[in-house]
Amino acid sequence: MAIIDLHSHSTRSDGKESPTEVFEHAAAAGVDVLALTDHDTTNGWAEASEAASRLGMGFVPGIEVTTRASVQVAGRNRFISVHMLAYLPDPENTALRQELLTTVNSRENRAMLMVDKLAEDYDITWELVLEMIEDGATIGRPAIADALVHLGAADDRSAAFRGPLDSRGKYYVPTDTVDSFDAIRLIREAGGVPVIAHPLTDISPNASRGDLPQDHFEKLIDAGLAGFEVYHREVPQNAREWLLSLAVEHDLIVTGSSDYHGVHGKPNRLGENTTEPEMLERIIELGSGVAAQL
């Protein structure tokens, strides 16, 4: 059976390897089909396509779109960051391109605010953060994490995210990007297939089904959400079981992916979670913006 991994990142956003290197490592890991899903950009698609062809691999063009939603969790209303994987959208769609540009600018402004806060206690500068990424790459917290590692303030990215960059810490700045419902509409109108990336990662392992935001998820489904990335190392088992039951109830696509950021990016490894071939077939049937390369 083909090994299909539908979530990876390159240096065009917050990955540590070029699109070519990502595909070379995927081939070495035995992956047959890989999606490149850099944050809010399609800039790596051409290089990924060339690498996939040379290596005899399949390539699924994708984007991880940064969105924001207001949800009720454990009786409290709060804004959460929702990452939406968009498979096979038309990269030339005007509305989607404009929203991605707006999101990239928003991410940069947010990162600058976080660096300003961190600079009160750490010897960090915006110039140092920019040195951590390629020119034109989508910027986010991982670049700040890399700068903190460079300064010796954290051992690695994961330590930086657990420490200074924790979402509950004083240096954190909330995401201010496109609403999740608007993102689903834009992706659909661009011929893409919207699938929530690593959903419910912040749910307590002891949470009951009543604590999970079912009403919110069903509204997303009604708005055109196509599926969930259920098999991901950060999705808790209780959330995974709940998502699978919801997917069966609504006949949704279920995917599994590594969310690879490079050997030295995150501990996630290519092919550690995979997608069933029939689920990829459903994505291909639904997507009309651009063709998968299989």
Side-chain angles (χ1 to χ4, degrees), residues 140-252:
R141 281 194 296 165
I144 303 173
D146 290 343
L148 290 170
V149 172
H150 178 81
L151 292 170
D155 290 335
D156 52 32
R157 277 188 180 181
S158 296
F161 274 87
R162 290 193 304 269
L165 297 180
D166 189 281
S167 60
R168 296 174 294 274
K170 70 174 184 176
Y171 307 111
Y172 184 77
V173 176
T175 302
D176 182 17
T177 53
V178 62
D179 178 80
S180 301
F181 294 94
D182 290 335
I184 289 171
R185 174 182 54 80
L186 286 167
I187 293 166
R188 286 285 197 175
E189 289 177 353
V193 183
V195 173
I196 290 184
H198 41 69
L200 300 175
T201 55
D202 60 349
I203 290 295
S204 165
N206 299 319
S208 67
R209 293 202 171 202
D211 294 327
L212 303 178
Q214 181 155 346
D215 180 64
H216 174 72
F217 273 69
E218 289 183 339
K219 287 178 180 176
L220 290 173
I221 294 165
D222 289 342
L225 180 69
F228 305 129
E229 185 183 55
V230 175
Y231 299 106
H232 183 287
R233 66 160 56 203
E234 295 178 11
V235 177
Q237 184 60 34
N238 58 338
R240 184 176 294 182
E241 293 169 357
W242 181 79
L243 290 163
L244 286 171
S245 66
L246 200 59
V248 169
E249 180 182 349
H250 295 277
D251 191 28
L252 301 181

Side-chain angles (χ1 to χ4, degrees), residues 9 25 50 60 69 74 103 105 136 177 185 188 210 240 270 274 287:
H9 296 274
H25 285 152
E50 183 177 338
V60 179
T103 296
N105 290 335
T177 53
R185 174 182 54 80
R188 286 285 197 175
R240 184 176 294 182
L270 288 156
T274 59

